[in-house]
Amino acid sequence: MPHPDSPALSSHDAHWWRQAVIYQIYPRSFADSDGDGIGDIPGVTSRLPYLADLGVDAVWLSPFYPSQLADGGYDVADYRDVDPRLGTLDDFDAMVAVAGRLGLKTMVDIVPNHSSDQHVWFQEALAAAPGSAARERYVFRDGRGRDGELPPTDWPSSFGGPAWTRVADGQWYLHLYAPEQPDFNWDNPEVREDFHHTLRFWSDRGVAGFRVDVAHGLAKDLGAPLRDLGEQQSYHPDALPADGSHPLWDRDAVHDIYRGWRQIFDSYDPPRFAVAEAWVRASRRTAYASAGGLGQAFEFDFLGAPLGAVEMHTVIDSALADARRAGATSTWVLSNHDVVRHVSRYALPGDPTKRDLEEWLLTDGRDPAPDLPTGVRRARAAALLMLALPGSAYVYQGEELGLPEVADLDRADLRDPMWVRSGGRVKGRDGCRVPLPWTREGTSFGFGPAGSWLPQPADWGTYAADVQSGDKASFLELYRRALRLRRTLVADETLEWACSPEQTRQGLLHFTRAGGWHTVSNLSDGHVPLPPGEVLLASGPLTGDELPPWTSVWLRTGAASEH
Ligand code: NOJ
């Protein structure tokens, strides 16, 4: 087991995360070392030098725990082990040690809202009688109707269908996601204690931080009688009450849980860090991100906003203000394992909503036809915008290669529970989880020595890391150069706007950071004049003194050229 003071975890940088670039690895799709078609931990280790070279500060691994993969690993059967298909705890320790030597920190995903139905506790609960201590670790209730044949409440599952499933003796259990993901009862001290154990287990192994799944769901109002939602069926953040009174989501009591976690985090040197995945109203995000809480909360408005100057200006301002209120820094995310990859989002006409994207996926990505060169151009501009903002940037694997969504996966290959639970109305998230291409040629394009668990498109090799490496015009080299330059920025956490409201309305974003650093983004179809300064990096070719449409540039002005 690596000592917590391994090279990447020095007590001198307790605040390493404030301006870090954190690379999200979806382990089953990253690199396969043993040829079973599933990415694994030794595969991750083998590619760590690539990530160090890319210039990221940390890796965050989506779940790699034993799981029957009912929800891509977010159904955890054992929180303190590695799925045997992905390796062993020794492999994990070796990965953390190699990461440390390369100067990379390791973060893991914690899934506290629900376990897998294969978890030993749930199996015990099924075998035990109603009212037993084993059932009290989850949320079992009698049904309604004459014979209890109706679910206890009208609560929907986030994946579609009811949030209750009936067991053999007639009781029902709660699952806000798939039936294979029973929700824990966080009123039960045993559940709380067990997660403390898990947090210490990984912290002791040298893990620097945690991404907390569904962080807003743990504290539920489970007092009798359970309340129906009636008209309030939506779990969308803006539909949740602003006062924390929803029976399921974002209740104030959830923060008691995280205050307990914070004591554990702070018992380490450096303190462990956590970022909340909390789908709550912006005004309520602060509590998750506070120093006495998890420390940071994902800001998904940036990801969801249209790539327009006015919209981005608004989102950036409010994210920075939220983070300041929390004493944290903001997070910036363009893609992750739950959304359509942004090259494809930006390749579609208009500004597609989540619903539009779901419909687009159902057409196998044909209608409307994506304009990929435009998507690439916009994604490159968005990358330089994001990577210059103060705060932490979360980069999803393959984003640095400019991968598009694989929207035409055969329906027979789909694994996302959304596909089945929605009765074929939502295709789901498999298209952003297709295993990475590392080499132009070869079985599974270098993903592994054999095939890949999700089929890769025939042209996947053109995106391969080895094709892009060294090609100055490539996506990969843009990210590499940007991350190298970004290191000179991060000592300072402030941003000042240098564009007028009128310029913003015309599509221009311009802000400065310390040291005469300017970021200028032209998010419009017209040309705009390029401000003076030394060009450090541009997301696309520049034409004379103009910034072409959908292009971002980083400039530096010295004292002489500043006026
Ligand atoms: C959020 C995760 O990112 C997603 O992949 C998962 O399906 C749900 N939480 C449930 O764990």
Side-chain angles (χ1 to χ4, degrees), residues 243-326:
D243 60 359
S245 61
H246 196 280
L248 300 173
W249 305 107
D250 190 30
R251 298 178 63 75
D252 293 338
V254 79
H255 300 297
D256 292 341
I257 298 171
Y258 298 136
R259 276 188 281 276
W261 290 22
R262 173 49 57 190
Q263 284 179 7
I264 294 175
F265 297 154
D266 287 351
S267 71
Y268 288 86
D269 181 18
R272 297 322 190 226
F273 154 72
V275 56
E277 188 225 18
W279 291 93
V280 300
R281 282 171 177 264
S283 60
R284 295 194 43 100
R285 211 179 282 138
T286 318
Y288 295 84
S290 73
L294 292 174
Q296 201 178 47
F298 276 123
E299 145 67 67
F300 291 122
D301 297 344
F302 186 73
L303 179 157
L307 188 62
V310 172
E311 293 86 344
M312 283 294 174
H313 197 302
T314 307
V315 164
I316 291 167
D317 277 344
S318 76
L320 293 175
D322 286 350
R324 231 184 342 264
R325 260 200 306 280

Side-chain angles (χ1 to χ4, degrees), residues 25 30-34 39-52 91 94-96 98-99 102 104 438 446-449:
I25 293 179
F30 188 67
D32 172 22
S33 71
D34 59 7
D40 48 39
I41 300 290
V44 173
T45 308
S46 72
R47 297 292 181 184
L48 288 174
Y50 164 87
L51 296 179
D91 292 332
M95 179 194 73
V96 175
V98 172
L102 291 166
L104 299 172
W438 293 95
F447 166 64

